[in-house]
Amino acid sequence: ITATCLLLFFFQKILWLVVPFLLALIVYYFLYPSMQALIYRGMSRDAAASCATLGFLALLFIVGVGLTPWVAAHLAGWQDIVSGYIKGGTQLLDRSLRALENHWPTLANAQLADMVQGRLAEAAGSIADHLEPIAIGIMAWTPSLMLAPFLAFFFLRDGRRFQRFLGGAVPNAFFEKTLFLLHEIDRTSRAYFQGLIKLTLLDTATLALGLWLLGIPGPLALGLICAVLAWIPYVGSIVGGLLVVLVVATDFPDSPSLAYWAVALFGLVRLLDDFVYMPLTVGKSLELHPLVTVLMIFVGGAVAGVAGLMLVLPVLGVVMVIGETIGVIVTD
């Protein structure tokens, strides 16, 4: 646990490299079966890695070209759509605060609703001031994110060479332990990403079912978006819940109770995610105790913020494998 916390603190300082490295690992595990199939058909490892990577890039290009006309057609109206959803959410918040003031004289005397509306008006006026830093941040992150397919290609092509390099660098007495360590790290990383996919499917199914029962349009799409946002524990779930509440408040302005039910649904899914789904998927894939899984998520957020929430479980799994292997060598 101490080693995991130290690594999270260090990774937070080089997040520009850690994020594309994680994306490259996801692409690597996604493309590895295709490369392996090409190798079994008689193709060399270098050629198979090149074909798998080029096929992936071609798929991205086709998807990008196909989505460009749709994005261009809707780009002009996005600002109005976003403004409409924000307006619907603001009206829901104002009605809720007015209702609280009617039941709590203390809040009425403090003029809570008027104060919140004033703060929101000020925040809406300063949104334009934050657009430039956001755009600059996106531009600054773009080159590092482009490293992901580049890294994935060399993971596919030179993974065996890296293993042979490590095998030749250690004494013969530890050769088998080194191979075992590399195998276990690969298995742990693969298990984490497979568990993450299972968690996403469970979250999508649960949210889609709940939204469908509430009568909210597009339940599957909203559930999938919220499940992907939930890859960032807590923060992503809050953003996803806020998105659904804004949609409900805009599409059903005369039914504020529906928005409250949506909030209750997300609270229930959040509890299921933390104490049932996460231990059964990611925690089970990494062979972590459910108590350790839940506690380490809190520890990761306290040590490294949002980055720690995302990285704590895969880092902990790899560190545990390394620690167990070193322990076997020391006590042998």
Side-chain angles (χ1 to χ4, degrees), residues 24-72:
L25 278 178
I26 295 174
V27 175
Y28 166 76
Y29 288 119
F30 178 75
L31 296 180
Y32 185 79
S34 301
M35 185 193 72
Q36 202 171 30
L38 293 175
I39 292 175
Y40 289 158
R41 291 179 177 273
M43 191 176 292
S44 67
R45 188 179 186 88
D46 292 356
S50 300
C51 290
T53 306
L54 289 175
F56 175 73
L57 293 177
L59 178 63
L60 288 182
F61 178 78
I62 292 173
V63 172
V65 171
L67 290 178
T68 299
W70 183 85
V71 172

mmCIF file of all heavy atoms in Angstrom, residues 24-72:
data_model
loop_
_atom_site.group_PDB
_atom_site.id
_atom_site.type_symbol
_atom_site.label_atom_id
_atom_site.label_comp_id
_atom_site.label_asym_id
_atom_site.label_seq_id
_atom_site.Cartn_x
_atom_site.Cartn_y
_atom_site.Cartn_z
ATOM 1 N N ALA A 24 -2.445 3.239 -24.487
ATOM 2 C CA ALA A 24 -1.689 2.316 -25.336
ATOM 3 C C ALA A 24 -1.863 0.878 -24.853
ATOM 4 O O ALA A 24 -1.950 -0.047 -25.673
ATOM 5 C CB ALA A 24 -0.209 2.703 -25.346
ATOM 6 N N LEU A 25 -1.909 0.670 -23.533
ATOM 7 C CA LEU A 25 -2.146 -0.679 -23.020
ATOM 8 C C LEU A 25 -3.519 -1.201 -23.425
ATOM 9 O O LEU A 25 -3.673 -2.372 -23.786
ATOM 10 C CB LEU A 25 -2.013 -0.678 -21.490
ATOM 11 C CG LEU A 25 -0.605 -0.755 -20.914
ATOM 12 C CD1 LEU A 25 -0.663 -0.702 -19.400
ATOM 13 C CD2 LEU A 25 0.105 -2.027 -21.371
ATOM 14 N N ILE A 26 -4.540 -0.308 -23.364
ATOM 15 C CA ILE A 26 -5.885 -0.716 -23.779
ATOM 16 C C ILE A 26 -5.882 -1.116 -25.252
ATOM 17 O O ILE A 26 -6.440 -2.148 -25.643
ATOM 18 C CB ILE A 26 -6.883 0.419 -23.514
ATOM 19 C CG1 ILE A 26 -7.009 0.682 -22.005
ATOM 20 C CG2 ILE A 26 -8.254 0.075 -24.097
ATOM 21 C CD1 ILE A 26 -7.868 1.870 -21.658
ATOM 22 N N VAL A 27 -5.237 -0.299 -26.100
ATOM 23 C CA VAL A 27 -5.157 -0.617 -27.533
ATOM 24 C C VAL A 27 -4.364 -1.907 -27.740
ATOM 25 O O VAL A 27 -4.715 -2.741 -28.591
ATOM 26 C CB VAL A 27 -4.507 0.557 -28.297
ATOM 27 C CG1 VAL A 27 -4.301 0.198 -29.765
ATOM 28 C CG2 VAL A 27 -5.371 1.804 -28.190
ATOM 29 N N TYR A 28 -3.295 -2.104 -26.957
ATOM 30 C CA TYR A 28 -2.472 -3.321 -27.075
ATOM 31 C C TYR A 28 -3.300 -4.571 -26.798
ATOM 32 O O TYR A 28 -3.276 -5.530 -27.585
ATOM 33 C CB TYR A 28 -1.299 -3.224 -26.108
ATOM 34 C CG TYR A 28 -0.567 -4.522 -25.886
ATOM 35 C CD1 TYR A 28 0.317 -5.019 -26.847
ATOM 36 C CD2 TYR A 28 -0.764 -5.264 -24.721
ATOM 37 C CE1 TYR A 28 0.989 -6.213 -26.638
ATOM 38 C CE2 TYR A 28 -0.100 -6.458 -24.514
ATOM 39 C CZ TYR A 28 0.777 -6.931 -25.470
ATOM 40 O OH TYR A 28 1.430 -8.112 -25.268
ATOM 41 N N TYR A 29 -4.053 -4.572 -25.687
ATOM 42 C CA TYR A 29 -4.852 -5.747 -25.351
ATOM 43 C C TYR A 29 -6.018 -5.930 -26.326
ATOM 44 O O TYR A 29 -6.521 -7.041 -26.501
ATOM 45 C CB TYR A 29 -5.362 -5.644 -23.923
ATOM 46 C CG TYR A 29 -4.276 -5.845 -22.894
ATOM 47 C CD1 TYR A 29 -3.959 -4.843 -21.987
ATOM 48 C CD2 TYR A 29 -3.552 -7.017 -22.856
ATOM 49 C CE1 TYR A 29 -2.951 -5.024 -21.054
ATOM 50 C CE2 TYR A 29 -2.542 -7.206 -21.927
ATOM 51 C CZ TYR A 29 -2.248 -6.212 -21.031
ATOM 52 O OH TYR A 29 -1.244 -6.387 -20.120
ATOM 53 N N PHE A 30 -6.451 -4.840 -26.942
ATOM 54 C CA PHE A 30 -7.514 -4.923 -27.943
ATOM 55 C C PHE A 30 -6.999 -5.524 -29.250
ATOM 56 O O PHE A 30 -7.709 -6.302 -29.916
ATOM 57 C CB PHE A 30 -8.099 -3.526 -28.186
ATOM 58 C CG PHE A 30 -9.168 -3.477 -29.232
ATOM 59 C CD1 PHE A 30 -10.436 -3.956 -28.972
ATOM 60 C CD2 PHE A 30 -8.904 -2.953 -30.484
ATOM 61 C CE1 PHE A 30 -11.422 -3.924 -29.947
ATOM 62 C CE2 PHE A 30 -9.881 -2.908 -31.466
ATOM 63 C CZ PHE A 30 -11.145 -3.394 -31.187
ATOM 64 N N LEU A 31 -5.758 -5.183 -29.638
ATOM 65 C CA LEU A 31 -5.206 -5.630 -30.918
ATOM 66 C C LEU A 31 -4.427 -6.933 -30.821
ATOM 67 O O LEU A 31 -4.154 -7.559 -31.853
ATOM 68 C CB LEU A 31 -4.285 -4.543 -31.494
ATOM 69 C CG LEU A 31 -4.935 -3.207 -31.857
ATOM 70 C CD1 LEU A 31 -3.888 -2.255 -32.413
ATOM 71 C CD2 LEU A 31 -6.042 -3.406 -32.878
ATOM 72 N N TYR A 32 -4.059 -7.343 -29.616
ATOM 73 C CA TYR A 32 -3.200 -8.527 -29.477
ATOM 74 C C TYR A 32 -3.821 -9.787 -30.084
ATOM 75 O O TYR A 32 -3.113 -10.551 -30.772
ATOM 76 C CB TYR A 32 -2.864 -8.750 -28.003
ATOM 77 C CG TYR A 32 -1.889 -9.877 -27.779
ATOM 78 C CD1 TYR A 32 -0.525 -9.696 -27.995
ATOM 79 C CD2 TYR A 32 -2.337 -11.125 -27.366
ATOM 80 C CE1 TYR A 32 0.365 -10.733 -27.794
ATOM 81 C CE2 TYR A 32 -1.446 -12.174 -27.167
ATOM 82 C CZ TYR A 32 -0.095 -11.964 -27.372
ATOM 83 O OH TYR A 32 0.784 -12.999 -27.179
ATOM 84 N N PRO A 33 -5.128 -10.074 -29.862
ATOM 85 C CA PRO A 33 -5.692 -11.280 -30.502
ATOM 86 C C PRO A 33 -5.595 -11.249 -32.025
ATOM 87 O O PRO A 33 -5.332 -12.290 -32.650
ATOM 88 C CB PRO A 33 -7.151 -11.277 -30.038
ATOM 89 C CG PRO A 33 -7.144 -10.502 -28.762
ATOM 90 C CD PRO A 33 -6.122 -9.436 -28.976
ATOM 91 N N SER A 34 -5.787 -10.076 -32.631
ATOM 92 C CA SER A 34 -5.681 -9.979 -34.096
ATOM 93 C C SER A 34 -4.250 -10.253 -34.546
ATOM 94 O O SER A 34 -4.027 -10.982 -35.531
ATOM 95 C CB SER A 34 -6.112 -8.584 -34.558
ATOM 96 O OG SER A 34 -7.435 -8.303 -34.166
ATOM 97 N N MET A 35 -3.272 -9.690 -33.847
ATOM 98 C CA MET A 35 -1.872 -9.930 -34.204
ATOM 99 C C MET A 35 -1.517 -11.404 -34.031
ATOM 100 O O MET A 35 -0.824 -11.999 -34.867
ATOM 101 C CB MET A 35 -0.965 -9.053 -33.342
ATOM 102 C CG MET A 35 0.506 -9.155 -33.721
ATOM 103 S SD MET A 35 1.616 -8.438 -32.497
ATOM 104 C CE MET A 35 1.479 -9.663 -31.192
ATOM 105 N N GLN A 36 -2.003 -12.011 -32.959
ATOM 106 C CA GLN A 36 -1.719 -13.421 -32.716
ATOM 107 C C GLN A 36 -2.311 -14.298 -33.820
ATOM 108 O O GLN A 36 -1.681 -15.279 -34.265
ATOM 109 C CB GLN A 36 -2.277 -13.824 -31.356
ATOM 110 C CG GLN A 36 -1.636 -15.057 -30.751
ATOM 111 C CD GLN A 36 -2.062 -15.274 -29.319
ATOM 112 O OE1 GLN A 36 -3.175 -14.899 -28.938
ATOM 113 N NE2 GLN A 36 -1.196 -15.867 -28.514
ATOM 114 N N ALA A 37 -3.520 -13.959 -34.274
ATOM 115 C CA ALA A 37 -4.135 -14.728 -35.356
ATOM 116 C C ALA A 37 -3.311 -14.616 -36.643
ATOM 117 O O ALA A 37 -3.142 -15.610 -37.375
ATOM 118 C CB ALA A 37 -5.559 -14.229 -35.594
ATOM 119 N N LEU A 38 -2.781 -13.435 -36.928
ATOM 120 C CA LEU A 38 -1.947 -13.268 -38.121
ATOM 121 C C LEU A 38 -0.652 -14.051 -38.006
ATOM 122 O O LEU A 38 -0.156 -14.611 -38.994
ATOM 123 C CB LEU A 38 -1.652 -11.783 -38.338
ATOM 124 C CG LEU A 38 -2.848 -10.902 -38.713
ATOM 125 C CD1 LEU A 38 -2.439 -9.436 -38.774
ATOM 126 C CD2 LEU A 38 -3.445 -11.332 -40.047
ATOM 127 N N ILE A 39 -0.082 -14.108 -36.800
ATOM 128 C CA ILE A 39 1.151 -14.887 -36.601
ATOM 129 C C ILE A 39 0.887 -16.369 -36.827
ATOM 130 O O ILE A 39 1.688 -17.080 -37.454
ATOM 131 C CB ILE A 39 1.710 -14.622 -35.192
ATOM 132 C CG1 ILE A 39 2.217 -13.176 -35.082
ATOM 133 C CG2 ILE A 39 2.848 -15.586 -34.865
ATOM 134 C CD1 ILE A 39 2.687 -12.794 -33.693
ATOM 135 N N TYR A 40 -0.260 -16.863 -36.340
ATOM 136 C CA TYR A 40 -0.603 -18.269 -36.532
ATOM 137 C C TYR A 40 -0.812 -18.604 -38.005
ATOM 138 O O TYR A 40 -0.691 -19.776 -38.400
ATOM 139 C CB TYR A 40 -1.869 -18.612 -35.747
ATOM 140 C CG TYR A 40 -1.673 -18.654 -34.247
ATOM 141 C CD1 TYR A 40 -2.745 -18.496 -33.378
ATOM 142 C CD2 TYR A 40 -0.407 -18.849 -33.693
ATOM 143 C CE1 TYR A 40 -2.572 -18.529 -32.002
ATOM 144 C CE2 TYR A 40 -0.214 -18.875 -32.330
ATOM 145 C CZ TYR A 40 -1.300 -18.719 -31.482
ATOM 146 O OH TYR A 40 -1.116 -18.759 -30.136
ATOM 147 N N ARG A 41 -1.123 -17.604 -38.811
ATOM 148 C CA ARG A 41 -1.312 -17.828 -40.253
ATOM 149 C C ARG A 41 0.004 -17.753 -41.017
ATOM 150 O O ARG A 41 0.002 -17.804 -42.253
ATOM 151 C CB ARG A 41 -2.305 -16.824 -40.826
ATOM 152 C CG ARG A 41 -3.738 -17.039 -40.339
ATOM 153 C CD ARG A 41 -4.680 -16.002 -40.927
ATOM 154 N NE ARG A 41 -6.052 -16.250 -40.519
ATOM 155 C CZ ARG A 41 -6.898 -17.058 -41.148
ATOM 156 N NH1 ARG A 41 -6.496 -17.710 -42.231
ATOM 157 N NH2 ARG A 41 -8.128 -17.237 -40.711
ATOM 158 N N GLY A 42 1.123 -17.604 -40.311
ATOM 159 C CA GLY A 42 2.430 -17.642 -40.963
ATOM 160 C C GLY A 42 3.099 -16.298 -41.136
ATOM 161 O O GLY A 42 4.200 -16.226 -41.700
ATOM 162 N N MET A 43 2.504 -15.230 -40.658
ATOM 163 C CA MET A 43 3.086 -13.903 -40.812
ATOM 164 C C MET A 43 4.100 -13.653 -39.700
ATOM 165 O O MET A 43 3.956 -14.162 -38.584
ATOM 166 C CB MET A 43 1.977 -12.835 -40.774
ATOM 167 C CG MET A 43 2.417 -11.447 -41.191
ATOM 168 S SD MET A 43 1.016 -10.281 -41.235
ATOM 169 C CE MET A 43 0.092 -10.938 -42.632
ATOM 170 N N SER A 44 5.150 -12.898 -39.987
ATOM 171 C CA SER A 44 6.140 -12.568 -38.972
ATOM 172 C C SER A 44 5.531 -11.622 -37.939
ATOM 173 O O SER A 44 4.527 -10.959 -38.203
ATOM 174 C CB SER A 44 7.367 -11.917 -39.610
ATOM 175 O OG SER A 44 7.024 -10.647 -40.154
ATOM 176 N N ARG A 45 6.179 -11.571 -36.759
ATOM 177 C CA ARG A 45 5.640 -10.742 -35.687
ATOM 178 C C ARG A 45 5.657 -9.262 -36.074
ATOM 179 O O ARG A 45 4.702 -8.537 -35.807
ATOM 180 C CB ARG A 45 6.439 -10.962 -34.395
ATOM 181 C CG ARG A 45 5.824 -10.285 -33.183
ATOM 182 C CD ARG A 45 6.616 -10.535 -31.919
ATOM 183 N NE ARG A 45 5.931 -9.984 -30.759
ATOM 184 C CZ ARG A 45 5.035 -10.618 -30.034
ATOM 185 N NH1 ARG A 45 4.710 -11.864 -30.351
ATOM 186 N NH2 ARG A 45 4.462 -10.044 -28.995
ATOM 187 N N ASP A 46 6.726 -8.814 -36.722
ATOM 188 C CA ASP A 46 6.803 -7.404 -37.117
ATOM 189 C C ASP A 46 5.703 -7.055 -38.120
ATOM 190 O O ASP A 46 5.035 -6.016 -37.987
ATOM 191 C CB ASP A 46 8.175 -7.107 -37.730
ATOM 192 C CG ASP A 46 9.294 -7.187 -36.707
ATOM 193 O OD1 ASP A 46 8.989 -7.406 -35.517
ATOM 194 O OD2 ASP A 46 10.469 -7.034 -37.099
ATOM 195 N N ALA A 47 5.497 -7.936 -39.114
ATOM 196 C CA ALA A 47 4.461 -7.671 -40.118
ATOM 197 C C ALA A 47 3.071 -7.740 -39.502
ATOM 198 O O ALA A 47 2.192 -6.922 -39.826
ATOM 199 C CB ALA A 47 4.584 -8.663 -41.267
ATOM 200 N N ALA A 48 2.862 -8.703 -38.594
ATOM 201 C CA ALA A 48 1.550 -8.819 -37.950
ATOM 202 C C ALA A 48 1.245 -7.592 -37.094
ATOM 203 O O ALA A 48 0.115 -7.081 -37.096
ATOM 204 C CB ALA A 48 1.503 -10.086 -37.097
ATOM 205 N N ALA A 49 2.244 -7.109 -36.347
ATOM 206 C CA ALA A 49 2.045 -5.901 -35.539
ATOM 207 C C ALA A 49 1.732 -4.701 -36.422
ATOM 208 O O ALA A 49 0.857 -3.882 -36.100
ATOM 209 C CB ALA A 49 3.282 -5.631 -34.686
ATOM 210 N N SER A 50 2.427 -4.591 -37.544
ATOM 211 C CA SER A 50 2.184 -3.468 -38.456
ATOM 212 C C SER A 50 0.780 -3.543 -39.050
ATOM 213 O O SER A 50 0.067 -2.533 -39.120
ATOM 214 C CB SER A 50 3.230 -3.467 -39.580
ATOM 215 O OG SER A 50 4.536 -3.344 -39.047
ATOM 216 N N CYS A 51 0.360 -4.740 -39.467
ATOM 217 C CA CYS A 51 -0.974 -4.888 -40.057
ATOM 218 C C CYS A 51 -2.069 -4.592 -39.042
ATOM 219 O O CYS A 51 -3.058 -3.908 -39.354
ATOM 220 C CB CYS A 51 -1.145 -6.295 -40.620
ATOM 221 S SG CYS A 51 -0.162 -6.638 -42.087
ATOM 222 N N ALA A 52 -1.910 -5.095 -37.809
ATOM 223 C CA ALA A 52 -2.928 -4.855 -36.788
ATOM 224 C C ALA A 52 -3.026 -3.370 -36.449
ATOM 225 O O ALA A 52 -4.129 -2.814 -36.328
ATOM 226 C CB ALA A 52 -2.599 -5.662 -35.523
ATOM 227 N N THR A 53 -1.880 -2.695 -36.331
ATOM 228 C CA THR A 53 -1.893 -1.264 -36.007
ATOM 229 C C THR A 53 -2.467 -0.441 -37.152
ATOM 230 O O THR A 53 -3.274 0.474 -36.936
ATOM 231 C CB THR A 53 -0.474 -0.776 -35.681
ATOM 232 O OG1 THR A 53 0.091 -1.596 -34.651
ATOM 233 C CG2 THR A 53 -0.495 0.667 -35.212
ATOM 234 N N LEU A 54 -2.072 -0.758 -38.392
ATOM 235 C CA LEU A 54 -2.601 -0.032 -39.544
ATOM 236 C C LEU A 54 -4.111 -0.248 -39.683
ATOM 237 O O LEU A 54 -4.846 0.680 -40.032
ATOM 238 C CB LEU A 54 -1.880 -0.468 -40.817
ATOM 239 C CG LEU A 54 -0.419 -0.001 -40.959
ATOM 240 C CD1 LEU A 54 0.215 -0.607 -42.199
ATOM 241 C CD2 LEU A 54 -0.342 1.522 -41.011
ATOM 242 N N GLY A 55 -4.571 -1.467 -39.417
ATOM 243 C CA GLY A 55 -6.011 -1.718 -39.459
ATOM 244 C C GLY A 55 -6.763 -0.908 -38.426
ATOM 245 O O GLY A 55 -7.843 -0.368 -38.704
ATOM 246 N N PHE A 56 -6.184 -0.802 -37.227
ATOM 247 C CA PHE A 56 -6.819 0.004 -36.171
ATOM 248 C C PHE A 56 -6.864 1.472 -36.561
ATOM 249 O O PHE A 56 -7.895 2.145 -36.391
ATOM 250 C CB PHE A 56 -6.046 -0.187 -34.870
ATOM 251 C CG PHE A 56 -6.527 0.674 -33.740
ATOM 252 C CD1 PHE A 56 -7.728 0.410 -33.104
ATOM 253 C CD2 PHE A 56 -5.779 1.767 -33.313
ATOM 254 C CE1 PHE A 56 -8.175 1.209 -32.056
ATOM 255 C CE2 PHE A 56 -6.217 2.568 -32.273
ATOM 256 C CZ PHE A 56 -7.423 2.291 -31.645
ATOM 257 N N LEU A 57 -5.754 1.994 -37.094
ATOM 258 C CA LEU A 57 -5.734 3.399 -37.516
ATOM 259 C C LEU A 57 -6.697 3.639 -38.674
ATOM 260 O O LEU A 57 -7.347 4.691 -38.739
ATOM 261 C CB LEU A 57 -4.308 3.794 -37.916
ATOM 262 C CG LEU A 57 -3.278 3.819 -36.789
ATOM 263 C CD1 LEU A 57 -1.893 4.142 -37.334
ATOM 264 C CD2 LEU A 57 -3.670 4.839 -35.721
ATOM 265 N N ALA A 58 -6.790 2.678 -39.591
ATOM 266 C CA ALA A 58 -7.747 2.821 -40.696
ATOM 267 C C ALA A 58 -9.180 2.840 -40.183
ATOM 268 O O ALA A 58 -10.016 3.621 -40.671
ATOM 269 C CB ALA A 58 -7.553 1.682 -41.696
ATOM 270 N N LEU A 59 -9.466 1.996 -39.173
ATOM 271 C CA LEU A 59 -10.804 2.000 -38.585
ATOM 272 C C LEU A 59 -11.111 3.348 -37.934
ATOM 273 O O LEU A 59 -12.220 3.892 -38.092
ATOM 274 C CB LEU A 59 -10.910 0.870 -37.563
ATOM 275 C CG LEU A 59 -12.244 0.753 -36.811
ATOM 276 C CD1 LEU A 59 -13.374 0.442 -37.780
ATOM 277 C CD2 LEU A 59 -12.156 -0.336 -35.743
ATOM 278 N N LEU A 60 -10.134 3.895 -37.190
ATOM 279 C CA LEU A 60 -10.327 5.213 -36.593
ATOM 280 C C LEU A 60 -10.567 6.271 -37.657
ATOM 281 O O LEU A 60 -11.411 7.163 -37.493
ATOM 282 C CB LEU A 60 -9.111 5.586 -35.747
ATOM 283 C CG LEU A 60 -8.915 4.857 -34.418
ATOM 284 C CD1 LEU A 60 -7.677 5.399 -33.712
ATOM 285 C CD2 LEU A 60 -10.134 5.017 -33.525
ATOM 286 N N PHE A 61 -9.820 6.189 -38.766
ATOM 287 C CA PHE A 61 -9.978 7.170 -39.843
ATOM 288 C C PHE A 61 -11.364 7.071 -40.469
ATOM 289 O O PHE A 61 -12.023 8.094 -40.719
ATOM 290 C CB PHE A 61 -8.891 6.938 -40.898
ATOM 291 C CG PHE A 61 -8.998 7.863 -42.087
ATOM 292 C CD1 PHE A 61 -8.562 9.178 -41.995
ATOM 293 C CD2 PHE A 61 -9.538 7.412 -43.290
ATOM 294 C CE1 PHE A 61 -8.664 10.029 -43.086
ATOM 295 C CE2 PHE A 61 -9.631 8.256 -44.379
ATOM 296 C CZ PHE A 61 -9.200 9.570 -44.270
ATOM 297 N N ILE A 62 -11.835 5.844 -40.707
ATOM 298 C CA ILE A 62 -13.160 5.668 -41.315
ATOM 299 C C ILE A 62 -14.251 6.198 -40.390
ATOM 300 O O ILE A 62 -15.181 6.891 -40.823
ATOM 301 C CB ILE A 62 -13.385 4.183 -41.640
ATOM 302 C CG1 ILE A 62 -12.444 3.735 -42.751
ATOM 303 C CG2 ILE A 62 -14.838 3.932 -42.047
ATOM 304 C CD1 ILE A 62 -12.474 2.244 -43.017
ATOM 305 N N VAL A 63 -14.131 5.886 -39.095
ATOM 306 C CA VAL A 63 -15.121 6.388 -38.136
ATOM 307 C C VAL A 63 -15.081 7.919 -38.076
ATOM 308 O O VAL A 63 -16.127 8.587 -38.048
ATOM 309 C CB VAL A 63 -14.869 5.778 -36.746
ATOM 310 C CG1 VAL A 63 -15.754 6.437 -35.700
ATOM 311 C CG2 VAL A 63 -15.127 4.279 -36.774
ATOM 312 N N GLY A 64 -13.865 8.486 -38.081
ATOM 313 C CA GLY A 64 -13.745 9.944 -38.042
ATOM 314 C C GLY A 64 -14.349 10.604 -39.269
ATOM 315 O O GLY A 64 -15.067 11.605 -39.169
ATOM 316 N N VAL A 65 -14.081 10.028 -40.458
ATOM 317 C CA VAL A 65 -14.642 10.587 -41.697
ATOM 318 C C VAL A 65 -16.162 10.455 -41.702
ATOM 319 O O VAL A 65 -16.887 11.353 -42.146
ATOM 320 C CB VAL A 65 -14.021 9.883 -42.918
ATOM 321 C CG1 VAL A 65 -14.746 10.276 -44.199
ATOM 322 C CG2 VAL A 65 -12.543 10.239 -43.029
ATOM 323 N N GLY A 66 -16.662 9.318 -41.185
ATOM 324 C CA GLY A 66 -18.110 9.128 -41.158
ATOM 325 C C GLY A 66 -18.823 10.069 -40.200
ATOM 326 O O GLY A 66 -19.949 10.497 -40.455
ATOM 327 N N LEU A 67 -18.161 10.407 -39.077
ATOM 328 C CA LEU A 67 -18.791 11.285 -38.091
ATOM 329 C C LEU A 67 -18.629 12.759 -38.410
ATOM 330 O O LEU A 67 -19.366 13.580 -37.866
ATOM 331 C CB LEU A 67 -18.206 11.009 -36.704
ATOM 332 C CG LEU A 67 -18.580 9.677 -36.058
ATOM 333 C CD1 LEU A 67 -17.886 9.544 -34.711
ATOM 334 C CD2 LEU A 67 -20.093 9.555 -35.879
ATOM 335 N N THR A 68 -17.675 13.106 -39.268
ATOM 336 C CA THR A 68 -17.412 14.521 -39.550
ATOM 337 C C THR A 68 -18.635 15.255 -40.093
ATOM 338 O O THR A 68 -18.957 16.361 -39.619
ATOM 339 C CB THR A 68 -16.218 14.660 -40.512
ATOM 340 O OG1 THR A 68 -15.055 14.099 -39.893
ATOM 341 C CG2 THR A 68 -15.958 16.112 -40.850
ATOM 342 N N PRO A 69 -19.365 14.720 -41.098
ATOM 343 C CA PRO A 69 -20.557 15.455 -41.582
ATOM 344 C C PRO A 69 -21.605 15.657 -40.489
ATOM 345 O O PRO A 69 -22.218 16.727 -40.403
ATOM 346 C CB PRO A 69 -21.085 14.564 -42.713
ATOM 347 C CG PRO A 69 -19.919 13.748 -43.143
ATOM 348 C CD PRO A 69 -19.122 13.515 -41.912
ATOM 349 N N TRP A 70 -21.824 14.622 -39.643
ATOM 350 C CA TRP A 70 -22.816 14.747 -38.577
ATOM 351 C C TRP A 70 -22.387 15.797 -37.561
ATOM 352 O O TRP A 70 -23.205 16.616 -37.118
ATOM 353 C CB TRP A 70 -22.996 13.403 -37.889
ATOM 354 C CG TRP A 70 -24.048 13.419 -36.808
ATOM 355 C CD1 TRP A 70 -25.385 13.250 -36.955
ATOM 356 C CD2 TRP A 70 -23.816 13.640 -35.407
ATOM 357 N NE1 TRP A 70 -26.026 13.346 -35.736
ATOM 358 C CE2 TRP A 70 -25.087 13.581 -34.769
ATOM 359 C CE3 TRP A 70 -22.689 13.869 -34.640
ATOM 360 C CZ2 TRP A 70 -25.226 13.752 -33.403
ATOM 361 C CZ3 TRP A 70 -22.828 14.039 -33.275
ATOM 362 C CH2 TRP A 70 -24.090 13.976 -32.663
ATOM 363 N N VAL A 71 -21.111 15.794 -37.202
ATOM 364 C CA VAL A 71 -20.616 16.789 -36.245
ATOM 365 C C VAL A 71 -20.718 18.190 -36.830
ATOM 366 O O VAL A 71 -21.130 19.144 -36.152
ATOM 367 C CB VAL A 71 -19.159 16.464 -35.842
ATOM 368 C CG1 VAL A 71 -18.568 17.586 -34.996
ATOM 369 C CG2 VAL A 71 -19.100 15.149 -35.080
ATOM 370 N N ALA A 72 -20.346 18.335 -38.118
ATOM 371 C CA ALA A 72 -20.420 19.649 -38.750
ATOM 372 C C ALA A 72 -21.853 20.155 -38.834
ATOM 373 O O ALA A 72 -22.115 21.354 -38.675
ATOM 374 C CB ALA A 72 -19.796 19.578 -40.144
#
